[in-house]
Amino acid sequence: MIFTVKRGEGLRGEISVPGDKSISHRSIILASLAEGESTISGLLEGEDCLATIEVFKKMGIDISSKKGVYTVIGNGLQGLKEPNEALDFGNSGTSIRLCAGLLSSQNFSSLLTGDKSLSTRPMRRVVDPLNAMGADLVATDEGTLPINVSPVKSLHAIEYSLPIASAQVKSCLMLAGLFAEGETKITEKTITRDHTERMFMEYGLPIEIKPSGQSRTICVNKASRIYPQDIKVPGDFSSASFFILAALICPDSSIKIKNVGINETRIGFLHALRHMGANIELINLKNTSEATADILVKTSSLKGISLNTALVANMIDEMPAFFVAAALAEGKTIVKDAKELRTKESDRLQAMADSLNAFGIKNELSKDGIVIHGIGSKGTLNSAEIDSYGDHRIAMASAIGSLRSDDAVKILDCVNVNTSFPNFIDVCRQVGIDISNHE
Ligand code: S3P
């Protein structure tokens, strides 16, 4: 699928973005383990979460939807059934890594597979600590998919200090910890998105969080049962980030994005942009388990910054959008300590450097970061043809950057936008972006 995007200005409107991907996956997983009927409203109906739904259906869970509200009839902690075929997680790193933790504790075998991109992504980060808990997982010699999971008698708790800042690894071990003998203790030096912790608490699961300076330890004990809940999934801040960017960089723009999740562990992008001079306001704040707000954004003149490395983990998925903001800021932006970007749906450091090059933006790429020489808010990007490398976030960030090109821009290989933001084009049109898609 190819997107063609024309220059934009005067963006206006009130929009909603689809449900949060991270919270959607977690809600399907925990609802499937609960005893009885949970409902999930606002669930992201993107391909990644649909893949998670299919996986649980293959393990005997009844999941249906009516008018956008999903009903999940959980079978309890011991109620998953052995699937009679491989579990295909499509493009979803979150789903496969979280489910690896859960499946490692089941009394049946499973085979975990995914698409071409997922099949190249690193899995040792979950396989090794799960095996240290007594699980039996075998990946390829390269540490990639497929993963074969064999049943074991029992798992035992471990104390694990996360070697990389990863909410997926943390959540994987938390799920395994629900089935392990003893107290599983996971220490993170950098606090990553805490949706699993919050949802464990909502579900009344045995979890305790012990902060210690900048780091913290999450303690999980074996659970005996899970009671069903009614879950409301807020709009995805990562999806909202593309429209925050659009309104900031297009002249004479002002938009409102309604009901977006603003969990503090997710909004590093907002802090970084404000530091660059962005005019972003949060209104209508609601402090539920997952805080939400409406986001008001207006055209702003941005200035380059040296990005605080402490923010990287909390804006990891917004980095491609941040790089576009940096390209249209005045002066240099320096990003370090971001090598995790190379392990995403594409090598996002390389993919965005290529995108910026095509747009005519000078940049210097290093092993773990990039320096971007911004051209300022009045600058114009080259009209170009950009390869998204099949990565949804590269496609959407480049599409929004195209609004500041002097002529139409083509973005190639955009079909995976459906994994996280299936109605991206409709929402673009709602604020006045001229975008079309064709095969
Ligand atoms: C996610 C965690 C992040 C993020 C991904 C979603 C999650 O991955 O990039 O899109 O829901 O836990 P890592 O934990 O690998 O950084």
Side-chain angles (χ1 to χ4, degrees):
M1 191 197 286
I2 298 173
F3 288 169
T4 304
V5 188
K6 297 209 177 124
R7 193 177 175 84
E9 62 176 275
L11 307 187
R12 287 278 190 286
E14 275 192 26
I15 52 170
S16 298
V17 292
D20 185 281
K21 183 150 75 72
S22 295
I23 299 175
S24 294
H25 284 303
R26 287 156 172 82
S27 63
I28 298 159
I29 296 171
L30 288 184
S32 297
L33 297 176
E35 293 176 15
E37 182 177 313
S38 292
T39 60
I40 310 172
S41 53
L43 184 106
L44 167 62
E45 293 177 305
E47 283 171 4
D48 276 10
C49 299
L50 298 179
T52 302
I53 289 177
E54 281 314 303
V55 161
F56 281 91
K57 282 186 173 173
K58 279 185 187 164
M59 293 192 289
I61 303 298
D62 180 348
I63 305 177
S64 56
S65 75
K66 208 172 178 185
K67 292 191 183 147
V69 178
Y70 278 74
T71 302
V72 180
I73 316 287
N75 270 345
L77 280 162
Q78 309 300 336
L80 296 177
K81 306 238 158 43
E82 176 158 12
N84 48 25
E85 53 186 312
L87 298 174
D88 181 358
F89 291 87
N91 196 245
S92 178
T94 304
S95 187
I96 201 162
R97 294 198 179 110
L98 267 60
C99 288
L102 171 61
L103 291 165
S104 67
S105 65
Q106 302 299 304
N107 59 2
F108 54 77
S109 311
S110 48
L111 177 65
L112 281 52
T113 65
D115 72 5
K116 211 170 134 209
S117 151
L118 191 58
S119 300
T120 64
R121 295 179 65 187
M123 295 296 154
R124 271 193 200 115
R125 54 182 63 194
V126 291
V127 168
D128 290 350
L130 288 172
N131 285 346
M133 294 176 81
D136 183 355
L137 273 67
V138 181
T140 65
D141 289 346
E142 288 73 44
T144 52
L145 297 183
I147 298 175
N148 259 295
V149 186
S150 303
V152 290
K153 256 197 171 152
S154 64
L155 296 184
H156 55 82
I158 54 168
E159 291 187 17
Y160 192 68
S161 178
L162 290 170
I164 38 172
S166 169
Q168 293 179 355
V169 178
K170 170 177 68 175
S171 305
C172 162
L173 299 179
M174 288 174 68
L175 283 162
L178 289 179
F179 297 86
E181 300 301 330
E183 186 166 70
T184 301
K185 293 182 182 167
I186 309 150
T187 299
E188 53 178 4
K189 287 170 229 107
T190 308
I191 296 178
T192 61
R193 65 188 69 194
D194 64 357
H195 304 302
T196 313
E197 292 90 314
R198 288 174 185 276
M199 209 175 281
F200 271 29
M201 285 172 189
E202 284 285 285
Y203 269 93
L205 288 165
I207 173 174
E208 202 188 332
I209 299 170
K210 295 182 180 158
S212 131
Q214 298 284 62
S215 66
R216 56 183 207 161
T217 299
I218 296 119
C219 306
V220 175
N221 277 283
K222 190 167 177 172
S224 44
R225 52 199 308 188
I226 307 188
Y227 297 98
Q229 301 291 322
D230 294 318
I231 301 166
K232 286 194 175 66
V233 182
D236 196 324
F237 184 81
S238 299
S239 298
S241 72
F242 299 110
F243 292 93
I244 295 175
L245 172 68
L248 289 175
I249 64 172
C250 288
D252 186 29
S253 297
S254 172
I255 65 169
K256 185 200 253 187
I257 315 166
K258 287 185 293 186
N259 186 36
V260 182
I262 52 152
N263 177 321
E264 195 49 49
T265 61
R266 286 287 296 282
I267 56 170
F269 181 65
L270 195 132
H271 296 310
L273 288 172
R274 279 185 170 157
H275 190 194
M276 293 168 87
N279 182 343
I280 306 173
E281 222 185 304
L282 300 182
I283 58 163
N284 197 14
L285 267 80
K286 295 199 176 110
N287 249 331
T288 41
S289 158
E290 289 285 356
T292 61
D294 296 342
I295 305 179
L296 294 176
V297 197
K298 294 202 168 102
T299 310
S300 306
S301 293
L302 304 177
K303 287 203 169 50
I305 54 167
S306 186
L307 182 66
N308 177 354
T309 54
L311 286 179
V312 171
N314 293 338
M315 56 187 288
I316 193 77
D317 290 343
E318 291 68 65
M319 280 297 190
F322 178 72
F323 290 178
V324 174
L328 290 155
E330 190 74 53
K332 214 161 62 172
T333 291
I334 304 169
V335 177
K336 291 183 190 153
D337 259 359
K339 87 166 180 291
E340 266 302 286
L341 287 175
R342 295 198 184 270
T343 70
K344 299 295 177 186
E345 286 83 330
S346 69
D347 173 344
R348 285 187 178 158
L349 275 179
Q350 186 63 58
M352 280 311 294
D354 292 351
S355 176
L356 294 175
N357 285 335
F359 277 133
I361 296 294
K362 202 172 140 222
N363 65 86
E364 288 114 38
L365 190 60
S366 63
K367 265 197 203 146
D368 71 342
I370 191 166
V371 176
I372 298 170
H373 299 268
I375 54 174
S377 60
K378 303 244 169 340
T380 294
L381 303 178
N382 289 346
S383 105
E385 204 168 84
I386 290 170
D387 192 346
S388 77
Y389 299 99
D391 183 330
H392 55 137
R393 301 207 193 278
I394 304 297
M396 292 186 276
S398 301
I400 300 301
S402 309
L403 295 168
R404 294 303 310 278
S405 163
D406 47 8
D407 209 343
V409 174
K410 277 192 167 43
I411 324 278
L412 312 180
D413 203 2
C414 296
V415 72
N416 280 336
V417 167
N418 289 329
T419 60
S420 67
F421 203 155
N423 60 340
F424 176 68
I425 292 205
D426 292 342
V427 181
C428 281
R429 289 179 180 154
Q430 282 168 28
V431 295
I433 293 175
D434 186 339
I435 180 169
S436 58
N437 64 325
H438 42 100
E439 294 307 315

